[in-house]
Amino acid sequence: MKNILITGGAGFIGSHVVRLFVQNYPQYHIYNLDVLTYAGNLKNLTDIESASNYTFIKADINDGDLMEEIMVKHAIDGVIHLAAESHVDRSISDPMAFVRTNIIGTVNLLNAARKAWGADMSDKRFYHVSTDEVYGSLDNGGFFTETTSYDPQSPYSASKAGSDHFVRAYHNTYKLPVVISNCSNNYGPNQFPEKLIPLTINNILNNKPLPVYGKGENVRDWLYVVDHARAIDQVFHQGVFGETYNIGGFNEWKNIDIVQLICDIMDKKLGKAEGSSRQLITFVTDRAGHDLRYAIDAQKIMKDLGWQPSLQFEEGIDKTIDWYLANKTWMEEVTSGSYQEYYSQHYS
Ligand code: NAD
Ligand code: DAU
């Protein structure tokens, strides 16, 4: 039996990682550590919450002593660290929350792992889940590789870059057995509707304007969340210590094209007149410092670890929209209360 600590497991990507590990590894005990911010939701995990190899721990990674206590108490062998403040727009209005959780919280976990594991770190591993945004912004050519220099442009990406540097520093200095991955934009079930795709779906359902920043020309590389979870499984088990793996879908879309695609699919599914949802598209003030384009070169993980995305985008986006249509109560619950306040402040 191995004891694996997954941080941020009640969030979007974390919940898919927790489910995959609980279901595929009955020989592991999975501890899901999450403080349940606005983005954390235990309803993402109702299907596995009573599994005998699963325990939820409500705790804050900003509490360093508590992290060490938990690592020792549960004899943690491996950490998969996803807990973070994850939304770029929120990092522009409140950067300190990102410094605290993404940088200090990560260093707290590194310290806790060092202390709990002592000198014998054979069979231990610390996996830090990061983002392609640390590499900055591309113009219309080229890809981010694992050796691209860091050039973060937003408080969010700067905080993730800082955390990546600390993880590498703990490997170089203290020989902590670490692996890092940097992934492109995820989409799929359970994503909080502050992010482009679920926000667009939710606003179409509610006949509200669809806010597109600037001219909608910015490009993102989209990957289905379950394919990211599968990649995390492979990096956790087969990744070489000290190495970085880029994860992406080779699937670039301009924001305006993706919003129009969602409009057209939803018009069909909802039986609305062709073109009617497109009329909701509203161009709004651009995000400050908006990165033009992200595009990941994922050849290393494909060649070294044999990972491949399993879904084509057309299938993935269809499944995603179906999930939101079948889970309207989930959406209603997460968009009640503080979401309304955030929404009216941000888009006013
Ligand atoms: P999310 O915002 O949906 O979930 C984050 C989770 O972390 C939430 O459950 C939240 O409650 C928890 N959390 C936040 N602060 C915490 C704290 N102080 N202590 C304990 N738990 C805390 O984020 P996500 O989109 O699922 O992203 C997960 C990770 O993957 C992040 O590290 C993010 O940087 C990275 N990532 C995300 C994407 C993407 O497209 N969403 C792409 C690449 C990498
Ligand atoms: O690239 C990986 C990153 O992808 C992750 O590290 C982040 O955690 C995740 O939030 C995501 O960041 P983005 O900023 O790319 O995602 P978001 O969904 O916020 O925005 C996607 C694009 O859509 C971006 O160019 C901004 C634009 N956008 C977003 C919103 C919320 C709009 O045009 N309108 C909107 O209302």
Side-chain angles (χ1 to χ4, degrees), residues 8-14 33-41 59-62 81-86 101 129-132 156 160 183-186 191-192 194-195 228:
F12 167 47
I13 302 170
L33 186 155
D34 197 302
V35 78
L36 302 179
T37 65
Y38 75 93
N41 185 353
D60 191 337
I61 62 169
N62 290 309
H81 174 38
L82 296 109
E85 289 293 338
S86 70
T101 291
V129 175
S130 192
T131 171
D132 61 357
Y156 164 70
K160 291 297 288 187
C183 188
S184 64
N185 285 61
N186 284 215
Q191 187 169 29
F192 192 76
E194 63 186 353
K195 309 282 168 66
H228 188 192

Side-chain angles (χ1 to χ4, degrees), residues 161-180:
S163 65
D164 293 10
H165 290 319
F166 270 102
V167 173
R168 289 198 183 94
Y170 273 56
H171 176 68
N172 294 331
T173 310
Y174 307 114
K175 308 295 168 227
L176 200 75
V178 309
V179 276
I180 300 182

